[in-house]
Amino acid sequence: MADELVRRKLDAGEDLFHQGESADSIHLIKMGSVKLTKISADGRIITLDIRKAGALIGESALLEEGVYPVGATCLETTVTCGIDKKTFEGLVTNHSDIGLVVIRNLSRRIQQLSSRVGALSEPNLEDRLYEVLVNVALEVGARGAGGWTIAFPLTHEEISFLVGAHRVSVTRALSRLRDTGRVRMSGKQLFISDKVI
């Protein structure tokens, strides 16, 4: 399969693809992390998800519509391997184990998104914010003693879209989480401590 892949190295802030572009390739993130965004009808950029190394993005290339419904921007130096739709379908036809890997990957995404939806049902904003940050950390963070580190900057606005609350409210809730020791910021890193019972 390696011969069929197109390797790309992108810098932080560089776009892998844009919303509305022709969805002709599926990408495997080999290193780094990518933010998926959607431009709303009123022109706002909404952060929908963050994907890390090992994740597939651009799965919409497998659909009939033929355009990416979201944009993908690198949060740090990122290496991807892309494969066009026709070649990918041929590989899956000839090597069923590749199809199984994709199915498992998509099943994990569904499980992670279900967990995130569960976190959004938490009525208390502070607890909801903490649960969403834990879910993001589980997906893209590094586990260490006492918690997880997310090693790239998340703006308060991006966090507010992930939590489903206004940016000002998220800023206040984040401040309370810092006061209680559940999160800590150091430069461009965010540390989420194990939940205090």
Side-chain angles (χ1 to χ4, degrees), residues 150-166:
I150 301 175
F152 52 81
L154 282 173
T155 68
H156 288 202
E157 187 170 14
E158 289 170 333
I159 294 170
S160 71
F161 287 126
L162 292 173
V163 174
H166 191 272

Side-chain angles (χ1 to χ4, degrees), residues 172-183:
R172 288 188 193 123
L174 199 52
S175 178
R176 288 192 298 271
L177 288 175
R178 278 195 303 265
D179 292 345
T180 59
R182 293 165 83 183
V183 301

Side-chain angles (χ1 to χ4, degrees), residues 87-100 102:
T87 304
F88 179 78
E89 288 175 348
L91 284 170
V92 170
T93 300
N94 296 322
H95 305 279
S96 58
D97 51 329
I98 293 173
L100 288 173
V102 172

Side-chain angles (χ1 to χ4, degrees), residues 123-193:
N124 178 292
L125 178 57
E126 188 177 322
D127 291 336
R128 186 164 81 227
L129 173 58
Y130 177 80
E131 292 299 327
V132 167
L133 290 174
V134 167
N135 280 311
V136 170
L138 289 170
E139 293 177 38
V140 298
R143 181 76 165 128
W148 305 266
T149 300
I150 301 175
F152 52 81
L154 282 173
T155 68
H156 288 202
E157 187 170 14
E158 289 170 333
I159 294 170
S160 71
F161 287 126
L162 292 173
V163 174
H166 191 272
R167 184 181 56 80
V168 174
S169 300
V170 165
T171 299
R172 288 188 193 123
L174 199 52
S175 178
R176 288 192 298 271
L177 288 175
R178 278 195 303 265
D179 292 345
T180 59
R182 293 165 83 183
V183 301
R184 188 172 66 241
M185 291 184 191
S186 175
K188 292 185 176 183
Q189 294 191 335
L190 179 65
F191 178 79
I192 298 102
S193 66

Side-chain angles (χ1 to χ4, degrees), residues 108-128:
R108 268 194 302 276
R109 289 299 320 147
I110 291 168
Q111 187 177 33
Q112 289 165 347
L113 291 172
S114 295
S115 177
R116 188 176 296 168
V117 168
L120 289 175
S121 67
E122 176 61 53
N124 178 292
L125 178 57
E126 188 177 322
D127 291 336
R128 186 164 81 227

